[in-house]
Amino acid sequence: MAQQVLLVTGGSRGIGAATALLAAERGYAVGVNYRRDAAAAAAIVQRITAAGGRAVALQADVADEAEVVALFARLDATLGPVTALVNNAGILEAQMRVDALDAARIGRILATNVTGTLLCCREAVRRMSTRHGGGGGAIVNVSSVAAKTGSPGEYVDYAASKGAVDALTRGLAQEVAQEGIRVNAVRPGFIYTGMHADGGEPGRVDRVKAAVPLRRGGQPEEVAEAILWLLSPQAAYSTGAFIDVAGGR
Ligand code: NAP
């Protein structure tokens, strides 16, 4: 069987990096997309290739349509057409209430988290769908438990963007179910990554973990396990489905 080709957006750090590394262990060739941190992406690629795997680092801002088109074309030319996609790239900004938000910030959040996810889905469907001559594939979107809680007092804009990711996951799953493509999502809870520093509180997971039924934060590797299962043939009967990796929240 031909090697599966996985693109992980935002694969240079956190949950995306853990997903890229685990996927390589499971035999995928991996495109490691990043936006700014070339050294971090190169380090993930180096770890994969040093272990005998195949990987390339691919710079692109998923919020930019031309860059997304070029990203998938570069993957075609290096590892081959995408057969598995993890829409992991996502951002939040400083904690604030809705009464302090402005349109520029809301636009940035939606551009990466929603537009970026949809654009990458579009490019993947154009390659995977049997309707377009493709051989099928699997997509996993990285949503958040915030889609259910709404993140009051912290980042309602981010939570709203993840609500949109849930909706597009359901819709696309049904749209392409007859075309060989499964579309699922994971909803992480409080995971130890650098993202919380972007919200202005690097120690956020430790502050809030007492409110988690399992009484701890999660590790990126625990989210990666759920993602890899949803991508795998073992999940062949799951589409439009969600796995919460959130300690019971
Ligand atoms: P992270 O450590 O902050 O890493 C974010 C990654 O996304 C980096 O590789 C970053 O690349 C990349 N990225 C950001 N904007 C991008 C863009 N426009 N185009 C391409 N790449 C972009 O984040 P994380 O905590 O692992 O989060 C990963 C996903 O999980 C996100 O969708 C997030 O919303 C979701 N999530 C996280 C948590 C949590 O507690 N950590 C909880 C629920 C959901 P550069 O470094 O090059 O900018």
Side-chain angles (χ1 to χ4, degrees):
M1 206 176 97
Q3 187 178 31
Q4 297 282 314
V5 176
L6 169 67
L7 176 64
V8 183
T9 67
S12 57
R13 304 191 268 126
I15 293 167
T19 301
L21 291 167
L22 186 62
E25 271 179 47
R26 304 260 170 102
Y28 291 83
V30 186
V32 179
N33 161 252
Y34 66 99
R35 180 180 45 172
R36 294 193 187 120
D37 193 345
I44 298 300
V45 167
Q46 159 66 19
R47 284 175 65 180
I48 292 171
T49 54
R54 294 173 71 215
V56 291
L58 299 164
Q59 193 282 329
D61 179 347
V62 298
D64 183 300
E65 185 168 16
E67 291 191 24
V68 171
V69 169
L71 166 66
F72 279 78
R74 272 183 289 144
L75 190 66
D76 291 341
T78 51
L79 301 179
V82 67
T83 64
L85 168 67
V86 177
N87 279 308
N88 166 80
I91 57 167
L92 47 70
E93 295 193 15
Q95 294 169 356
M96 65 177 64
R97 289 165 44 100
V98 169
D99 52 17
L101 288 176
D102 61 44
R105 164 178 160 146
I106 297 166
R108 287 191 296 274
I109 302 291
L110 295 179
T112 289
N113 299 5
V114 183
T115 304
T117 298
L118 280 166
L119 289 172
C120 290
C121 285
R122 181 190 77 190
E123 292 304 308
V125 168
R126 287 178 178 174
R127 288 162 175 80
M128 295 174 179
S129 171
T130 53
R131 186 187 178 115
H132 297 294
I139 297 173
V140 174
N141 296 323
V142 181
S143 174
S144 171
V145 161
K148 298 197 292 187
T149 66
S151 300
E154 292 192 320
Y155 10 70
V156 170
D157 53 350
Y158 169 82
S161 77
K162 295 302 188 177
V165 169
D166 284 8
L168 73 88
T169 299
R170 284 193 198 89
L172 182 62
Q174 293 175 51
E175 193 167 290
V176 297
Q178 302 290 310
E179 300 168 26
I181 306 173
R182 295 181 302 103
V183 187
N184 294 291
V186 294
R187 280 190 291 233
F190 301 124
I191 310 298
Y192 289 101
T193 73
M195 170 177 261
H196 307 286
D198 296 335
E201 190 185 3
R204 176 167 174 261
V205 176
D206 284 329
R207 173 175 63 83
V208 297
K209 67 184 179 189
V212 177
L214 289 183
R215 296 288 186 272
R216 66 173 179 87
Q219 296 298 333
E221 293 75 16
E222 296 179 296
V223 183
E225 288 285 353
I227 292 171
L228 265 292
W229 183 77
L230 286 168
L231 289 178
S232 76
Q234 284 71 33
Y237 199 50
S238 292
T239 197
F242 295 81
I243 298 180
D244 290 357
V245 187
R249 282 175 70 230

